[in-house]
Amino acid sequence: MRGYFADELLLMLPLAESPGVCLRGEVLGAHQGPLAVALTDELARTDVIILDLTGVSFVSNSVLQTLTLFACRLSPPQCLLVKAGAELGLGERGDAYGWDQIATLSLIEA
């Protein structure tokens, strides 16, 4: 990842302990571009990309769609591993986008 991204709603940083991206705040449709760039940058470094959403209070449906498209373009052993709080409801919301059928996408809800 090329460092960090920040605006009034979102802070996006590389993970310190492993390859991946950590988000804090609210993730809106306007953040799709910077998020896609960050994930693509991480893909150049590793096969397993961790997206830490545990500090996120809101994720828009358009961002879920972006994550779905990103994961669908991965080839095993590449994988997008999404970590999120249960309060975001990504299990149900992700399933609406077919996350349960995508071999290259895993969700860990805390």
Side-chain angles (χ1 to χ4, degrees):
M1 186 174 159
R2 300 175 189 172
Y4 71 93
F5 169 88
D7 67 10
E8 59 276 355
L9 297 174
L10 180 68
L11 175 63
M12 187 181 314
L13 299 166
L15 286 175
E17 68 278 358
S18 58
V21 182
C22 177
L23 279 61
R24 299 283 182 254
E26 298 181 7
V27 194
L28 305 178
H31 301 119
Q32 291 178 79
L35 180 57
V37 169
L39 294 174
T40 301
D41 284 352
E42 290 300 312
L43 186 58
R45 297 176 40 212
T46 184
D47 282 337
V48 178
I49 303 167
I50 299 169
L51 178 59
D52 184 348
L53 301 177
T54 56
V56 169
S57 60
F58 176 79
V59 178
S60 72
N61 287 334
S62 59
V63 169
L64 295 181
Q65 188 174 28
T66 298
L67 295 177
T68 303
L69 293 172
F70 181 83
C72 284
R73 293 188 176 160
L74 299 176
S75 299
Q78 296 172 324
C79 179
L80 177 62
L81 175 61
V82 179
K83 294 182 179 181
E87 67 277 1
L88 290 176
L90 293 188
E92 267 186 36
R93 293 175 66 202
D95 287 351
Y97 288 94
W99 283 19
D100 55 335
Q101 302 296 315
I102 302 172
T104 55
L105 192 148
S106 296
L107 174 64
I108 297 174
E109 286 187 302

